[in-house]
């Protein structure tokens, strides 16, 4: 196959664009309003992502971009359909992106399975012998470059939201992609090891967990015990240590919120002149799912956008 770019235009409900490894990014505005499916070649793999283009988008002004990273066994199209982010993007004239991770054989506490997984920092699962983990940071960076070519992108307002394994990947993005993203939200998944990392930039981070999420609590957690749980439950103590150490926040926190809806622990940056925060949020009645207003009273996309949009990358 010749070096360069191969465009495959399939207009059913979306465009598909295919590009070769090391190729120049696409140079045409190959999109329709609504759902667009793209593939890009990475080391011989065809990597997939979906982009929702709002009907009001006309390319006349740079627009924010939000990545929504799915959880284990999911894919970009699933979270395009169920997360609520395409609807938020339509309402706010935001470009929303839904990448698909790669499918692997993995082993975890539940045994061995073949499923989609983001290549986040080690800890929650192991790859089976012979598996070659893909470079998902390179993949997400490639998407950003292709988005900048196809669309008018506000490069200071690119955000990452992740669910479960996607939340763990969002943490990795906060460390290794903080030079290009403005803020990160981790939902129902984070990193709780004892490694303090050195991010490219210290940025705003939010972590959200449901009080009925059985991955964290054997029985529903009382929101009234949120503060004491953060100080005593090993997992949350580790999450706090990793995030305050990595992103340079004070280890002390203040509590706000309502025990009927959600409680928030807020951490201030060590440098008091910086406009950013670390928030840990416990949401009432939320199981292990991304809240979309149908599966739960909270519309996660709306709440998370309200928080993220106040931050821009310097």
């Amino acid at each position: 196959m010749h070096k360069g770019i191969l465009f495959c235009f399939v207009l059913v409900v979306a465009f598909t664009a295919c590009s070769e490894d090391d190729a120049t990014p696409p140079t045409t505005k190959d999109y329709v309003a609504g759902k667009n499916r793209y593939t890009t070649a990475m080391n011989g793999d065809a990597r997939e992502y979906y982009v929702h283009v709002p009907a009001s988008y006309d390319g006349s002004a740079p627009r924010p971009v939000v990545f929504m990273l799915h959880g284990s066994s999911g894919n970009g199209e699933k979270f395009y359909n169920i997360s609520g982010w395409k609807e938020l993007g339509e309402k706010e004239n935001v470009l929303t992106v839904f990448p698909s991770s790669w499918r692997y054989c993995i082993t975890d506490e539940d045994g061995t399975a073949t499923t989609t997984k983001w290549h986040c920092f080690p800890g929650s699962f192991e790859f089976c012998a012979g598996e070659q983990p893909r470079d998902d940071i390179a993949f997400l960076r490639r998407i950003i470059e292709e988005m900048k070519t196809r669309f008018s992108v506000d490069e200071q307002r690119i955000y990452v939201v992740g669910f479960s394994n996607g939340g763990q990947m969002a943490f990795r993005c906060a460390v290794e992609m903080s030079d290009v993203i403005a803020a990160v939200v981790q939902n129902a998944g984070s990193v709780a090891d004892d490694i303090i990392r050195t991010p490219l930039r210290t940025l705003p981070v939010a972590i959200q967990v449901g009080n009925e999420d059985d991955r964290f609590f054997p029985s529903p957690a009382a929101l009234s015990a949120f503060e004491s749980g953060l100080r005593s439950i090993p997992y949350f103590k580790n999450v706090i240590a990793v995030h305050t150490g990595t992103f340079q926040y004070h280890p002390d926190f203040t509590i706000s919120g309502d025990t009927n809806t959600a409680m928030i622990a807020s951490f201030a940056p060590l440098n008091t002149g910086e406009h950013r925060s670390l928030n840990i949020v416990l949401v009432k009645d939320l199981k292990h799912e991304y809240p979309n207003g149908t599966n739960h009273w909270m519309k996660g996309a709306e709440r998370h956008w309200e928080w993220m949009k106040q931050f821009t990358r310097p």
Side-chain angles (χ1 to χ4, degrees):
M1 185 177 292
H2 296 292
K3 288 290 183 182
I5 302 175
L6 171 65
F7 287 111
C8 309
F9 298 110
V10 180
L11 185 53
V12 181
V13 292
F15 282 108
T16 298
C18 310
S19 61
E20 291 189 59
D21 277 323
D22 304 320
T24 303
T27 57
T28 59
K29 304 302 182 185
D30 55 325
Y31 62 85
V32 295
K35 183 179 183 181
N36 297 264
R37 178 184 181 271
Y38 300 105
T39 61
T40 188
M42 303 286 297
N43 299 317
D45 299 322
R47 299 299 303 268
E48 169 191 74
Y49 62 100
Y50 292 82
V51 177
H52 184 81
V53 179
S56 56
Y57 173 82
D58 61 10
S60 62
R63 300 309 307 160
V65 173
V66 177
F67 283 75
M68 177 74 235
L69 305 183
H70 64 79
S72 300
S73 80
N75 56 41
E77 187 171 30
K78 177 180 179 180
F79 270 68
Y80 179 95
N81 292 328
I82 72 169
S83 67
W85 271 103
K86 72 177 186 294
E87 292 82 1
L88 183 285
E90 194 67 46
K91 177 182 176 182
E92 299 287 336
N93 198 9
V94 172
L95 295 162
T96 47
V97 185
F98 307 84
S100 295
S101 66
W102 200 250
R103 182 173 294 275
Y104 302 100
C105 173
I106 63 100
T107 59
D108 60 16
E109 59 185 10
D110 296 321
T112 299
T114 299
T115 186
T116 53
K117 279 285 190 181
W118 293 104
H119 184 199
C120 58
F121 289 120
S124 64
F125 68 92
E126 298 293 336
F127 294 102
C128 296
E131 287 286 8
Q132 295 297 320
R134 272 53 176 185
D135 188 343
D136 284 329
I137 293 294
F139 172 44
L140 297 178
R141 285 185 178 274
R142 171 77 67 83
I143 294 174
I144 290 175
E145 292 307 308
E146 293 187 357
M147 290 290 294
K148 287 160 55 177
T149 302
R150 287 190 175 101
F151 304 103
S152 180
V153 170
D154 186 339
E155 296 185 39
Q156 276 65 54
R157 300 180 71 196
I158 299 174
Y159 307 91
V160 174
V161 180
F163 168 72
S164 194
N165 171 244
Q168 295 171 321
M169 186 64 198
F171 174 85
R172 185 172 184 182
C173 292
V175 174
E176 298 185 7
M177 293 180 63
S178 48
D179 57 322
V180 293
I181 58 178
V184 162
V185 179
Q186 305 169 53
N187 298 269
S190 188
V191 173
D193 55 27
D194 58 357
I195 302 172
I196 303 302
R197 297 167 175 87
T198 303
L200 298 176
R201 181 178 70 88
T202 52
L203 78 177
V205 177
I207 303 164
Q208 178 174 292
V209 178
N211 80 316
E212 295 187 9
D213 191 329
D214 58 9
R215 310 294 176 90
F216 303 97
F217 307 109
S219 59
L223 270 68
S224 59
F226 180 50
E227 180 173 0
S228 61
L230 289 178
R231 298 186 188 280
S232 62
I233 297 174
Y235 175 84
F236 291 103
K237 290 173 63 177
N238 290 347
V239 166
I240 290 171
V242 168
H243 284 75
T244 56
T246 295
F247 301 110
Q248 298 297 293
Y249 286 96
H250 285 285
D252 295 327
F253 53 87
T254 58
I255 295 290
S256 61
D258 182 346
T259 56
N260 293 314
T261 53
M263 296 295 289
I264 305 167
S266 299
F267 300 76
L270 293 179
N271 183 350
T272 57
E274 295 180 339
H275 175 56
R276 60 188 182 94
S277 64
L278 167 65
N279 290 348
I280 301 178
V281 184
L282 183 65
V283 180
K284 188 175 182 180
D285 301 330
L286 180 61
K287 298 178 173 60
H288 192 73
E289 54 194 356
Y290 188 79
N292 59 23
T294 299
N295 61 8
H296 186 264
W297 57 263
M298 175 185 284
K299 294 182 178 180
E302 292 186 3
R303 297 292 183 94
H304 299 152
W305 176 241
E306 284 298 314
W307 180 77
M308 290 191 302
K309 71 180 184 180
Q310 66 180 303
F311 304 111
T312 59
R313 180 177 61 84

